[in-house]
Amino acid sequence: MEELEFWLLDASYDIIDGLPEVQLWGVDKSGRRVLVVDRSFRPYFYVVPSGDLESVMRGLSSALAAYGLLSLEPVQKKYYGKPVNSIKVVLRNPRSVPEAREAAAKVRGVGEVLEADIRFYMRYMVDNDIRPSAWHYVKVKELPKPANLHVDAVYMAVERPVYVGGPPPSLRLYAFDIECYNRYGEPLPERDPVIMISRATKEGVETFTADSGEASLIKEFLEDFWSVDPDVVLGYNSNRFDIPYLLKRAHENGLKLKLGRNSGEPAQSVYGHFSVVGRANIDLYDYASELVGVKLKTLDAVAEYLGLVKRSERVLLDASRVYEYWDKPELRKTLAQYSADDARSTYLIGETVLPFAIQLSEVVGLPLDQIFAASVGNRVEWFLMRQAFKHGELVPNSRERKEETYKGAIVLTPKPGIHRNVAVLDFSSMYPNIMIKYNISPDTYVPPGEEVPDEEVYVAPEVGHRFRRQPPGFYRKVLEELLRVRREIVRKMKELPPDSEEYRILEERQKAVKVVTNAVYGYSGWAPARWYMREVAEATTAWGRVLIKETIKFAQQIGLNVIYGDTDSIFVYYDPDRVQKLIEYVEQNLGFEIKVDKVYTKVFFTEAKKRYCGLLADGRVDIVGLEAVRGDWAEISKDIQEKVVEIVLRDEDPWKAAEYVRSTIADLYSGRIPLEKLIIWKTLAKELDEYEVDAPHVQAAKLLAKMGYRIYKGMKIGYIVTKEGGGRVSERAKPYVLVRSPQEVDAEYYVKHQIVPAALRILEYFGIREEHITSTRRQATLFDFFGT
């Protein structure tokens, strides 16, 4: 027997001689890649009887004999906070659980069957507090290493691993990108070969080509992959395209795409991601899809947004013309550089976001390869399931529900125009603290009709939902612990130099804890949630509205002019003494923490809610809710609006901004605006044949389908409005891949429907009208540009 400390990278399970084996793949302290197996754990689920316990146990014993039943154990648990008698049903084989669950549900006297849908290796980690992306200590004995396992050593766990924490080890990263032949539009794996694969590692970038055939290319890629033997595989849209495409092409060439440390091929798993056993396969598109600040989620746009690779410093190609660059030998070098730039950008994004992914994985309890693929709701749910086990709570089943709406946060109508020296005051974790203060939780909710003394409940304003004051609810206990952990992390950070490795790790960890904490409220109103309860979400926002109103009322009483308010923040003219007085009142009288989050030297509000822009003290321009960050406008609208905002705020000269718009319009008419700036992106909300009316993006999608592209619900369609076609916009919308020249563009459309509306959203407040920016004549107006 020996002692081993290892960092858990991936988890899986297999059936060996009819019994399950949990497989924990990791890296030990000396940098070896190891596999720790545990054959002592068995699958189980719970039955909550509605009838006599002994009678139900006899019925289960008979009904489950054919499914490898090992034991039936009466246990005391809690279900929605209330004590229940339950039966723990232990089976021999995890693969028998789905059928056994159905059989158990049919036994007379069975009320509910719970926790039968928890994946076996996840059940093992939950029960033993084993955390992905973290260090563990375990007593082991070494086993002979099977030939198919690509690790340095294999061990049998003699005891259960124990979580010890600490900074992550040095991991080997491997980013890759493929290029496919696409003469007939979108490449199809049944027809079109892979012609190029680029990969990036810490050592650099390398590109492999199909000069000697596709089979040789795939073999060369596999040899390179195994020479690096990565821990983390990085791709961009790789779960949806690169990996399934490579799998198909490998099979077409009589090859196996063996990438797993168990010699297996990638296999599609939960949340649609592809599992590569023994490694963490991360599709960075999943991360990018949650980035609010970047509208177009292309690899080059995201790399530029993150400040990693400027689009002007890399090769950019029209993806529909890849085949042309392959067919012409003189252009292949450019194609190779384009592919290499994609792999390098993918590597740099992965290197940048991996520290956060590791911390989020450890906090939530989801393996590293699933953490971005899972939705926010799924991440919160796995965290709650771990907490439920610690508190002896049974986990409710997943079930389909209709989405229910409820009244949300308060949003004030802003005072339009430019305001100077404005402070934004934010409540610290407002919703989590409301849920803690008023004990809002599914297990404390008192349904209508149930009689409870008034002094024993909190009653939500406006909606009237009641929640027991005692005992502390499940959500309250979870949120208190999360806030405590984050405070402790922040305290430790203050003791460290900001440029230290420990500080950077703690910074990512506090971000991960904050993300989970703030998502619990939203989870409670998320229809697929196991612990779904609309009343919980509805009561939380009701108390939030009252809190904001009380804060605004006191601010006005002490002479602070409130310009705007939204959810958990208010905007006031910055008077430090009065602001401090407001902060003290909120903390001492209302029981919540509020702080100055940012100060704008100038901020501009339109007449609409949630749409404003401001100039921060450090010179940055902050834009919220305008066309510049919305997804259904062309890039030129974003550019126009950002520049107009910048000129108005920095120079305080709306006419200078109008002149900029006029010059951009002139560039558009003369064909000097790049086509990529004119693409309008729209998502297909339905399958193509379900549309009764041809909207522009639908028409463009139909043209793509004729070209051989695979069109599907949820696909983003990029189109440009051209001069050709009929009178309607939809008849003039072409997929951007078909538009070759700026001369084809309907400039008039872009002026009237993209440029002018985006510019006037800001400029019309200053008396500038459409004719002022579409004609060359400047007209003066009488107004006061800059109010209070």
Side-chain angles (χ1 to χ4, degrees):
M1 188 186 304
E2 56 184 295
E3 297 175 348
L4 179 73
E5 205 167 324
F6 73 103
W7 192 86
L8 181 56
L9 177 66
D10 187 34
S12 57
Y13 86 92
D14 203 353
I15 303 298
I16 309 295
D17 298 327
L19 292 173
E21 171 185 273
V22 175
Q23 301 170 334
L24 305 174
W25 305 83
V27 182
D28 75 2
K29 283 290 186 180
S30 62
R32 297 182 310 154
R33 274 58 192 171
V34 298
L35 170 62
V36 177
V37 300
D38 191 338
R39 295 174 185 159
S40 66
F41 193 68
R42 297 292 175 264
Y44 67 88
F45 56 84
Y46 292 102
V47 167
V48 178
S50 60
D52 175 66
L53 182 69
E54 293 298 325
S55 173
V56 171
M57 286 186 68
R58 286 194 299 272
L60 289 171
S61 180
S62 173
L64 301 181
Y67 300 103
L69 178 66
L70 292 179
S71 66
L72 296 171
E73 178 189 355
V75 288
Q76 272 288 317
K77 303 289 280 187
K78 287 181 287 183
Y79 193 37
Y80 285 101
K82 295 177 181 176
V84 292
N85 292 315
S86 64
I87 301 165
K88 186 177 181 180
V89 179
V90 184
L91 303 179
R92 178 181 296 272
N93 190 327
R95 291 169 188 166
S96 304
V97 170
E99 290 183 351
R101 172 189 185 171
E102 297 304 314
K106 294 174 183 174
V107 170
R108 178 177 289 184
V110 167
E112 284 195 80
V113 179
L114 300 172
E115 303 195 17
D117 57 351
I118 299 175
R119 302 189 297 282
F120 179 64
Y121 65 89
M122 293 295 288
R123 173 86 275 174
Y124 173 86
M125 290 196 290
V126 167
D127 288 21
N128 296 291
D129 194 29
I130 292 168
R131 307 185 197 182
S133 309
W135 289 99
H136 298 79
Y137 162 85
V138 61
K139 289 184 178 179
V140 295
K141 63 178 182 180
E142 190 163 1
L143 299 176
K145 187 176 69 172
N148 69 313
L149 295 187
H150 300 272
V151 289
D152 296 308
V154 179
Y155 297 96
M156 172 79 76
V158 177
E159 297 175 356
R160 294 283 159 78
V162 177
Y163 167 77
V164 292
S170 176
L171 299 172
R172 298 196 288 255
L173 313 187
Y174 189 99
F176 78 103
D177 178 75
I178 70 173
E179 304 300 336
C180 307
Y181 197 74
N182 62 340
R183 177 180 289 275
Y184 307 103
E186 182 176 334
L188 297 176
E190 299 81 9
R191 175 189 67 199
D192 300 313
V194 177
I195 53 177
M196 213 170 266
I197 304 176
S198 287
R199 66 92 169 128
T201 64
K202 184 174 65 174
E203 280 69 39
V205 183
E206 193 162 349
T207 299
F208 311 106
T209 64
D211 294 334
S212 301
E214 186 183 31
S216 294
L217 167 63
I218 295 173
K219 287 177 183 176
E220 195 174 8
F221 164 70
L222 287 170
E223 287 171 10
D224 180 74
F225 184 90
W226 281 103
S227 72
V228 176
D229 191 16
D231 302 304
V232 180
V233 183
L234 301 165
Y236 197 87
N237 203 33
S238 50
N239 281 330
R240 299 160 187 81
F241 183 76
D242 300 64
I243 290 178
Y245 204 103
L246 263 180
L247 269 170
K248 179 67 176 175
R249 295 313 302 170
H251 297 167
E252 290 286 326
N253 284 277
L255 301 170
K256 291 283 188 183
L257 196 70
K258 294 181 180 179
L259 300 180
R261 285 192 165 132
N262 64 346
S263 299
E265 295 189 297
Q268 197 160 24
S269 186
V270 290
Y271 315 123
H273 88 289
F274 274 80
S275 173
V276 180
V277 172
R279 314 184 196 276
N281 168 48
I282 300 177
D283 185 343
L284 294 164
Y285 180 82
D286 293 324
Y287 169 80
S289 66
E290 295 181 23
L291 284 177
V292 177
V294 57
K295 184 170 72 171
L296 189 57
K297 312 294 186 184
T298 57
L299 173 59
D300 51 279
V302 171
E304 183 172 63
Y305 172 78
L306 294 174
L308 302 171
V309 181
K310 291 182 179 178
R311 296 178 81 243
S312 59
E313 295 175 359
R314 57 151 297 162
V315 171
L316 293 171
L317 296 182
D318 181 342
S320 68
R321 298 178 62 198
V322 164
Y323 76 96
E324 293 181 24
Y325 283 79
W326 178 256
D327 286 344
K328 296 176 182 177
E330 68 274 16
L331 294 179
R332 281 196 186 181
K333 189 175 180 181
T334 303
L335 179 60
Q337 189 58 53
Y338 167 73
S339 178
D341 286 346
D342 273 359
R344 177 171 168 265
S345 294
T346 301
Y347 181 86
L348 292 173
I349 294 172
E351 189 179 48
T352 300
V353 306
L354 190 60
F356 174 67
I358 285 170
Q359 295 302 323
L360 190 59
S361 169
E362 182 181 341
V363 168
V364 168
L366 272 174
L368 193 53
D369 64 339
Q370 299 174 26
I371 199 65
F372 289 146
S375 69
V376 174
N378 289 130
R379 292 174 208 155
V380 172
E381 190 151 271
W382 276 107
F383 178 81
L384 291 176
M385 286 163 72
R386 283 177 167 261
Q387 297 303 308
F389 180 81
K390 290 178 182 178
H391 293 293
E393 283 276 349
L394 289 171
V395 176
N397 287 324
S398 297
R399 52 172 58 99
E400 288 188 15
R401 303 180 183 87
K402 287 185 177 180
E403 203 74 46
E404 294 181 282
T405 59
Y406 56 89
K407 190 175 179 182
I410 192 169
V411 183
L412 301 181
T413 302
K415 296 178 180 179
I418 288 187
H419 305 267
R420 298 178 188 276
N421 197 27
V422 172
V424 183
L425 278 75
D426 264 8
F427 282 91
S428 302
S429 303
M430 185 173 85
Y431 283 161
N433 280 309
I434 285 173
M435 295 173 83
I436 289 169
K437 180 172 182 177
Y438 298 108
N439 207 21
I440 306 172
S441 186
D443 52 318
T444 61
Y445 173 65
V446 180
E450 185 175 324
E451 292 189 13
V452 180
D454 292 348
E455 64 273 11
E456 292 182 11
V457 294
Y458 293 110
V459 182
E462 299 178 20
V463 294
H465 301 317
R466 297 177 298 163
F467 297 88
R468 293 181 186 274
R469 292 172 179 256
Q470 291 294 335
F474 178 46
Y475 282 179
R476 180 178 181 174
K477 288 185 283 190
V478 168
L479 289 168
E480 282 179 334
E481 176 63 11
L482 282 167
L483 291 174
R484 184 198 65 77
V485 166
R486 185 158 179 254
R487 282 195 299 270
E488 180 63 20
I489 294 170
V490 172
R491 185 192 64 75
K492 285 182 185 176
M493 288 171 64
K494 289 177 180 175
E495 300 170 359
L496 297 167
D499 57 351
S500 66
E501 181 65 16
E502 190 178 353
Y503 183 95
R504 286 192 288 269
I505 290 169
L506 289 174
E507 170 67 16
E508 298 298 344
R509 190 165 187 80
Q510 71 87 15
K511 277 165 52 181
V513 174
K514 182 180 180 180
V515 163
V516 176
T517 306
N518 290 337
V520 171
Y521 147 73
Y523 170 83
S524 67
W526 180 52
R530 292 174 185 265
W531 279 278
Y532 171 80
M533 187 169 281
R534 177 186 57 79
E535 292 84 357
V536 165
E538 194 168 46
T540 304
T541 57
W543 262 300
R545 290 191 297 274
V546 168
L547 179 56
I548 285 285
K549 287 175 184 175
E550 288 292 320
T551 302
I552 291 171
K553 182 179 176 183
F554 185 78
Q556 291 169 337
Q557 285 175 5
I558 62 173
L560 267 180
N561 195 341
V562 179
I563 305 161
Y564 181 59
D566 182 0
T567 309
D568 60 354
S569 61
I570 61 170
F571 292 59
V572 300
Y573 288 123
Y574 190 35
D575 177 331
D577 292 339
R578 286 190 173 100
V579 164
Q580 184 57 36
K581 195 172 181 181
L582 176 63
I583 289 171
E584 290 170 1
Y585 171 80
V586 170
E587 291 180 353
Q588 294 168 13
N589 294 68
L590 303 182
F592 290 86
E593 184 183 341
I594 192 171
K595 63 183 186 300
V596 176
D597 180 52
K598 60 181 86 166
V599 177
Y600 292 114
T601 56
K602 298 168 199 164
V603 63
F604 171 76
F605 287 100
T606 69
E607 75 293 338
K609 298 176 180 180
K610 294 183 178 287
R611 293 184 182 179
Y612 60 90
C613 46
L615 184 66
L616 295 163
D618 60 7
R620 287 179 296 133
V621 174
D622 192 23
I623 299 177
V624 177
L626 297 170
E627 282 72 16
V629 290
R630 286 169 54 193
D632 53 352
W633 289 71
E635 193 77 11
I636 193 170
S637 302
K638 176 179 182 290
D639 292 348
I640 283 281
Q641 199 167 72
E642 285 182 348
K643 190 65 178 176
V644 165
V645 164
E646 185 178 338
I647 294 170
V648 166
L649 290 176
R650 290 191 201 280
D651 302 340
E652 303 190 7
D653 189 349
W655 288 109
K656 182 179 176 182
E659 183 58 42
Y660 167 76
V661 178
R662 279 198 296 271
S663 68
T664 303
I665 290 172
D667 286 344
L668 178 64
Y669 277 116
S670 60
R672 291 194 293 269
I673 300 293
L675 289 172
E676 66 199 52
K677 297 284 187 184
L678 304 175
I679 302 170
I680 300 168
W681 292 92
K682 192 84 173 174
T683 302
L684 287 174
K686 299 183 282 190
E687 296 295 346
L688 204 51
D689 58 6
E690 294 177 12
Y691 281 95
E692 296 178 6
V693 178
D694 279 357
H697 70 298
V698 175
Q699 178 64 21
K702 287 183 175 179
L703 290 172
L704 288 172
K706 286 180 183 176
M707 292 169 60
Y709 280 76
R710 184 173 63 88
I711 307 299
Y712 51 89
K713 180 182 176 180
M715 183 177 182
K716 280 188 176 293
I717 304 296
Y719 66 91
I720 291 175
V721 179
T722 65
K723 298 172 187 173
E724 296 178 20
R728 291 186 301 155
V729 174
S730 59
E731 294 169 351
R732 291 181 281 122
K734 274 190 183 181
Y736 75 93
V737 297
L738 295 183
V739 182
R740 301 295 190 200
S741 165
Q743 306 310 318
E744 298 176 51
V745 173
D746 183 353
E748 193 71 24
Y749 170 84
Y750 282 91
V751 170
K752 287 188 175 181
H753 299 281
Q754 293 280 327
I755 294 175
V756 168
L760 288 184
R761 180 76 70 187
I762 311 298
L763 294 178
E764 64 185 355
Y765 170 76
F766 305 104
I768 296 174
R769 299 188 296 276
E770 182 174 349
E771 59 267 28
H772 297 147
I773 55 178
T774 54
S775 71
T776 56
R777 187 163 53 91
R778 171 172 174 156
Q779 298 182 28
T781 56
L782 295 174
F783 58 88
D784 182 8
F785 284 165
F786 300 99
T788 312

